[in-house]
Amino acid sequence: MQNTIIKNLVILGGGTAGWMTAALMAKVLGKTVQITLVESEQIGTVGVGEATIPPIINFNQALGLDEKEFLRETNGSIKLGIQFEGWSQPGESYMHAFGNVGKNFPFCDFHHFWVRHCQQGGRDSYWDYSLNYQAAVQNTFSPIAKIPNTNLPGISYAYHFDAGLYAKFLRRYAEEKGVKRVEGKVSDVRKNPESGFVESLVLESGQAVTGDLFADCSGFIGLLIDKAVGSEYESWSQWLPCDRAMAVPSASGERIPPYTRSIAHACGWQWQIPLQHRTGNGLVYSSSHWSDEQAHEALFGNLPGEPLAEPRIIPFKTGHRREQWKKNVVSLGLASGFLEPLESTSIHLVQSAATRLIKCFPHRGIRGEEVAEFNRQSRVEMERIRDFIILHYKANQRRDSDFWRACEDMPVPDSLKEKMELFRSSGKVFRDFDDLFTEVAWQQVMIGQGIVPADYHGIADGLTDGQLADLMQSLKTLIQGTVKQLPPHEAFLSRK
Ligand code: FAD
């Protein structure tokens, strides 16, 4: 326990993590805590991170942002899911579409009925029953909460946005709410010699910025969480073999697809994130299997338009800080750990860490129990997302390179192994308490990667053959009919 009353919060870093944290803290804690953000334009930000997942909508709503203004200011677009191309086999693809698939029955998810339908010779794809998928591939969108005239959920969505513009947008918001911004490069960190708690950040100019609690949003360097208080980094590279990315923006095609593309290559994978004014592209690869020249060739051989800048190389190490909160330093964003952007989870992790920090906020002094709980929740959250990402690699059937063969052969964490075995044998999959990804997300990735369940829940036998056929046909017709009524994605973006 440190008895200091927390009145001054200092955030180091003005990337997506820094400004998201500043904006949310200012909105919720602004009346009780003074917030200062230090950033260095000279150092800049990582400059990538443009695809999100649906909880971002809650974040923007919590701030009270207007969606139209947000999309306009960030050149944003709608994201209905991620299309995985060539991940199970070259030439095959599937989507992790947000939202529901089909119609869930009490105690029994829809996919059990679909498995029975397939076992009886049905040929429909699982995604024939996904409203999000059908809307995505037909380039349509409207934020409908329900399928009209039914109780079935409508479309679930997230955003693609220009990360630099989002940070600027949030900066304006946070400064209006009283956050003080200090420009400058931190060259020294002063600590209390007895407790080891950080007391101030010293800038190159000599200015000292003092605080009671420090949010480390300094990016991969982890200037406070690593260099100042020494929280150890646990690597997960034994399961996630990629350690490098090459990023380049390009001109867009004529349409703006409402989904992210993740395209598998011989030794890694490529992302395409369509924005209103350009497409964000990058290749994530393993430096033990591919040189930068090989990565360049793969990436530039498959751009949707002219490159708009020189490519940038970003080395990374997958893993996380064992203690995301240590002493009076809480790390958020890249400073706290990194999972490759396969399921667009990093920005979400900032959102959830900032929310957790608010819930545990130590107004009346830092208590060990709160710190321990914060760290426990952070670890569990990261481990579950980690397993979901490993699944994509482990369940590949490509076998066309040493890279993919090694992924298929690697031992995976027991938690994932058990989930895969259960699904393979019974079709059952469970969302652990607090798991970010729902059962439907796990089902889609497992089925998409070629894990076909050998069995299904007996409840699905409660329908006669005729009732099952009617159910499948009526759902398909309902979804197709709904998608036909939706406007083009571009029309939604250009609405006044
Ligand atoms: P940064 O953007 O690096 O910001 C660090 C800040 O700290 C900067 O303002 C810098 O100036 C400041 N700073 C550092 N040192 C000092 C110093 N000494 N003095 C003063 N200031 C300092 N996430 C997603 O959710 N979706 C994606 O699609 C996605 N794609 C990604 C692709 C790649 C290749 C990578 C590497 C990451 C991706 N991410 C993605 C993650 C996402 O980019 C980050 O989570 C997000 O941008 C937050 O970064 P950050 O703010 O922690 O760090």
Side-chain angles (χ1 to χ4, degrees):
M1 167 90 177
Q2 192 224 25
N3 288 317
T4 313
I5 301 289
I6 306 289
K7 287 203 193 114
N8 288 300
L9 169 69
V10 175
I11 300 169
L12 172 60
T16 308
W19 284 114
M20 280 179 76
T21 305
L24 194 65
M25 296 287 159
K27 167 83 183 177
V28 184
L29 302 177
K31 290 201 176 110
T32 51
V33 180
Q34 172 62 50
I35 303 165
T36 307
L37 184 146
V38 180
E39 68 173 317
S40 157
E41 272 173 20
Q42 187 196 334
I43 295 176
T45 67
V46 72
V48 280
E50 308 194 314
T52 61
I53 53 175
I56 188 76
I57 291 178
N58 306 337
F59 181 81
N60 283 359
Q61 281 174 354
L63 298 183
L65 303 183
D66 174 72
E67 186 177 70
K68 240 192 262 180
E69 186 190 359
F70 154 75
L71 286 169
R72 191 179 60 239
E73 292 290 319
T74 62
N75 272 320
S77 66
I78 297 298
K79 174 176 171 185
L80 300 178
I82 306 172
Q83 171 98 335
F84 289 95
E85 301 174 16
W87 275 84
S88 57
Q89 311 240 12
E92 291 196 355
S93 74
Y94 69 94
M95 187 177 284
H96 168 194
F98 303 140
N100 212 16
V101 177
K103 173 190 169 193
N104 286 340
F105 283 68
F107 306 105
C108 181
D109 285 352
F110 169 77
H111 73 289
H112 292 288
F113 293 84
W114 174 78
V115 172
R116 178 183 156 197
H117 170 72
C118 294
Q119 288 188 358
Q120 293 181 344
R123 297 190 157 271
D124 292 343
S125 144
Y126 186 47
W127 286 268
D128 286 343
Y129 303 96
S130 162
L131 177 62
N132 260 56
Y133 173 79
Q134 295 298 331
V137 294
Q138 295 179 47
N139 235 81
T140 57
F141 174 72
S142 182
I144 53 169
K146 288 225 168 5
I147 295 185
N149 308 318
T150 73
N151 275 330
L152 297 177
I155 287 197
S156 172
Y157 67 100
Y159 308 115
H160 304 121
F161 53 65
D162 181 315
L165 295 178
Y166 188 50
K168 275 194 190 137
F169 188 56
L170 293 181
R171 174 179 162 185
R172 275 203 305 279
Y173 174 97
E175 286 186 319
E176 275 166 21
K177 292 235 169 322
V179 172
K180 190 174 150 216
R181 174 184 179 274
V182 177
E183 166 64 36
K185 187 172 169 189
V186 173
S187 55
D188 192 18
V189 178
R190 285 198 192 125
K191 294 192 288 181
N192 181 300
E194 277 162 30
S195 66
F197 277 48
V198 173
E199 289 180 337
S200 62
L201 310 182
V202 184
L203 308 186
E204 275 181 341
S205 63
Q207 181 186 353
V209 180
T210 55
D212 309 313
L213 183 70
F214 291 80
D216 186 355
C217 301
S218 64
F220 283 128
I221 190 165
L223 202 68
L224 306 182
I225 194 72
D226 183 62
K227 306 278 179 292
V229 297
S231 172
E232 209 182 314
Y233 196 83
E234 181 178 322
S235 165
W236 286 335
S237 52
Q238 70 272 36
W239 297 307
L240 293 166
C242 295
D243 58 359
R244 228 161 155 76
M246 185 179 288
V248 68
S250 77
S252 306
E254 257 174 42
R255 306 297 305 263
I256 306 173
Y259 56 90
T260 305
R261 289 177 72 191
S262 164
I263 306 157
H265 285 269
C267 297
W269 62 276
Q270 176 185 0
W271 78 79
Q272 284 184 5
I273 300 177
L275 307 176
Q276 292 186 39
H277 60 318
R278 62 167 170 80
T279 299
N281 306 276
L283 189 92
V284 171
Y285 56 104
S286 150
S287 63
S288 328
H289 295 83
W290 252 1
S291 65
D292 292 342
E293 289 69 32
Q294 287 170 301
H296 187 281
E297 198 179 318
L299 177 61
F300 279 71
N302 191 27
L303 291 180
E306 284 297 301
L308 300 176
E310 287 299 309
R312 284 187 316 118
I313 294 197
I314 307 165
F316 61 80
K317 190 166 165 195
T318 301
H320 77 138
R321 300 268 163 220
R322 285 191 202 275
E323 293 161 285
Q324 298 202 358
W325 181 345
K326 187 165 181 184
K327 298 189 187 284
N328 63 339
V329 174
V330 184
S331 57
L332 301 99
L334 300 174
S336 68
F338 184 61
L339 285 165
E340 62 181 80
L342 193 55
E343 285 283 353
S344 319
T345 41
S346 288
I347 292 172
H348 174 76
L349 285 167
V350 175
Q351 171 181 346
S352 100
T355 306
R356 187 174 302 130
L357 179 55
I358 289 172
K359 288 185 179 167
C360 292
F361 202 83
H363 280 101
R364 281 177 286 283
I366 296 172
R367 296 184 186 91
E369 301 81 1
E370 267 165 347
V371 174
E373 180 57 18
F374 180 96
N375 286 333
R376 188 193 67 76
Q377 290 182 18
S378 307
R379 161 174 275 279
V380 171
E381 180 177 44
M382 281 287 270
E383 284 177 349
R384 287 180 182 153
I385 297 173
R386 175 203 68 192
D387 283 4
F388 191 57
I389 294 177
I390 298 171
L391 168 67
H392 300 64
Y393 284 98
K394 172 70 180 169
N396 90 85
Q397 299 153 44
R398 292 182 58 110
R399 306 202 72 81
D400 60 334
S401 69
D402 286 349
F403 173 83
W404 290 108
R405 277 191 291 273
C407 291
E408 194 186 351
D409 295 343
M410 75 180 160
V412 295
D414 287 346
S415 44
L416 174 60
K417 194 169 154 215
E418 287 157 14
K419 235 182 182 116
M420 289 171 73
E421 282 169 2
L422 179 66
F423 189 74
R424 206 185 295 276
S425 62
S426 69
K428 291 173 186 141
V429 61
F430 297 95
R431 179 187 197 178
D432 294 329
F433 181 65
D434 268 357
D435 196 340
L436 171 62
F437 291 104
T438 61
E439 287 91 343
V440 182
W442 282 91
Q443 289 154 17
Q444 289 180 74
V445 175
M446 290 206 255
I447 292 168
Q449 294 283 151
I451 306 179
V452 180
D455 197 3
Y456 56 85
H457 200 297
I459 289 178
D461 284 330
L463 299 185
T464 63
D465 288 353
Q467 285 170 329
L468 181 65
D470 284 351
L471 170 74
M472 304 309 274
Q473 189 54 50
S474 61
L475 281 173
K476 221 164 91 170
T477 308
L478 186 64
I479 284 167
Q480 288 300 348
T482 306
V483 171
K484 275 207 185 83
Q485 307 299 318
L486 301 177
H489 175 215
E490 294 85 357
F492 175 79
L493 295 179
S494 60
R495 84 212 138 115
K496 299 282 174 233

